[in-house]
Amino acid sequence: MIIQCEQLSKTYRADDTVVQAVEDVNLDIDGGDFAVILGHSGSGKTTLLSLIGGLTSPDRGSVRIHGRNNWSSGDKYLSLLRNKTIGFIFQFASLIPTLTSLENLLLPLYFQADAAKGKDRAMSLLTEVGLADKANVYPAQLSGGQQRRIAIARAFINEPEIILADEPTGDLDEETESDILTMFRRFHKQGMTFLVVTHNAHLAVTQHNSRILHMKNGRLAFGQV
């Protein structure tokens, strides 16, 4: 078991409003799984992904990666986990505007002093997402879809064990979406574990042997599309 969530809950409070974003979620993900969580906007999918990835702390419950509790292991452990074990694809591209496409890909490696070694891999990933010719271009010179592809490529630069993806193809055209999903399948076949949250049922059913879950009002349920 690579990911274990037990009784995971998170509540947000703003003024007089209380939102139970995630409520008593239990979830086990085996190494090599491709799990897709379907749910409408506001169902709690993004919050759940943030809790699993060590970006948001739970109000109660636990998240374990390889049996180790994220939230009792300290900031240094969480930083290493996010840098080496987990690759994030966020809902928005979140590129650094003062860095080129290539530099944005290499950024996670700078924290390991491995940026020079990773240049060939970065160029290979840029080629895979169809943007090798944009290596020295800044985000402001890219379309929204191109920025999105750069961000997807960046998630794979450290060869992580786990990919956590939040609406990874939400603003891509059909052809580019197909290319990205082919890329996902290739890395999945190599043993990478995927947990994808989306409202796009098509994404779920096009992934061979994917495991389908549903989320509504902060609660998780197993089932079929």
Side-chain angles (χ1 to χ4, degrees):
M1 202 72 62
I2 195 169
I3 300 172
Q4 296 171 283
C5 302
E6 183 175 350
Q7 297 295 302
L8 199 58
S9 298
K10 181 68 178 181
T11 301
Y12 292 109
R13 293 174 175 82
D15 299 325
D16 295 328
T17 303
V18 177
V19 177
Q20 186 70 55
V22 172
E23 186 172 2
D24 294 328
V25 165
N26 294 292
L27 175 64
D28 292 337
I29 303 290
D30 286 325
D33 272 0
F34 197 112
V36 180
I37 299 177
L38 292 170
H40 296 299
S41 178
S43 61
K45 306 185 306 297
T46 295
T47 299
L48 177 59
L49 216 60
S50 296
L51 291 166
I52 292 171
L55 297 172
T56 302
S57 59
D59 294 329
R60 63 181 183 275
S62 65
V63 178
R64 296 181 182 275
I65 307 292
H66 286 306
R68 183 166 177 175
N69 192 323
N70 282 5
W71 297 102
S72 63
S73 299
D75 290 341
K76 184 176 181 180
Y77 169 77
L78 283 173
S79 295
L80 288 171
L81 180 77
R82 292 189 294 256
N83 184 247
K84 293 186 175 183
T85 304
I86 297 174
F88 291 92
I89 300 174
F90 297 102
Q91 196 165 357
F92 303 101
S94 303
L95 300 179
I96 306 298
T98 55
L99 300 180
T100 66
S101 299
L102 179 60
E103 289 167 341
N104 265 286
L105 254 70
L106 291 173
L107 186 61
L109 294 175
Y110 283 111
F111 298 101
Q112 301 178 30
D114 272 344
K117 296 179 183 177
K119 188 172 181 180
D120 287 345
R121 177 170 174 76
M123 286 305 303
S124 176
L125 288 167
L126 283 174
T127 299
E128 192 151 7
V129 297
L131 293 174
D133 61 331
K134 304 295 184 183
N136 296 313
V137 169
Y138 291 91
Q141 299 168 285
L142 300 171
S143 69
Q146 288 172 329
Q147 291 184 37
R148 185 68 167 167
R149 283 185 273 163
I150 296 294
I152 289 171
R154 182 179 57 189
F156 292 90
I157 191 66
N158 275 340
E159 301 180 87
E161 292 182 69
I162 302 166
I163 290 289
L164 301 180
D166 190 355
E167 301 285 2
T169 62
D171 52 1
L172 300 178
D173 58 68
E174 288 186 12
E175 182 178 353
T176 304
E177 178 185 87
S178 177
D179 291 342
I180 294 300
L181 294 181
T182 297
M183 178 184 178
F184 283 9
R185 283 193 290 271
R186 182 173 72 81
F187 282 112
H188 179 231
K189 286 179 180 178
Q190 294 174 9
M192 202 172 283
T193 303
F194 283 76
L195 179 57
V196 180
V197 302
T198 183
H199 66 275
N200 183 357
H202 172 73
L203 187 154
V205 299
T206 55
Q207 293 305 298
H208 182 61
N209 289 332
S210 61
R211 180 181 170 198
I212 312 301
L213 305 97
H214 298 266
M215 197 160 192
K216 184 177 181 180
N217 298 327
R219 290 184 172 272
L220 201 59
F222 297 83
Q224 299 296 322
V225 174

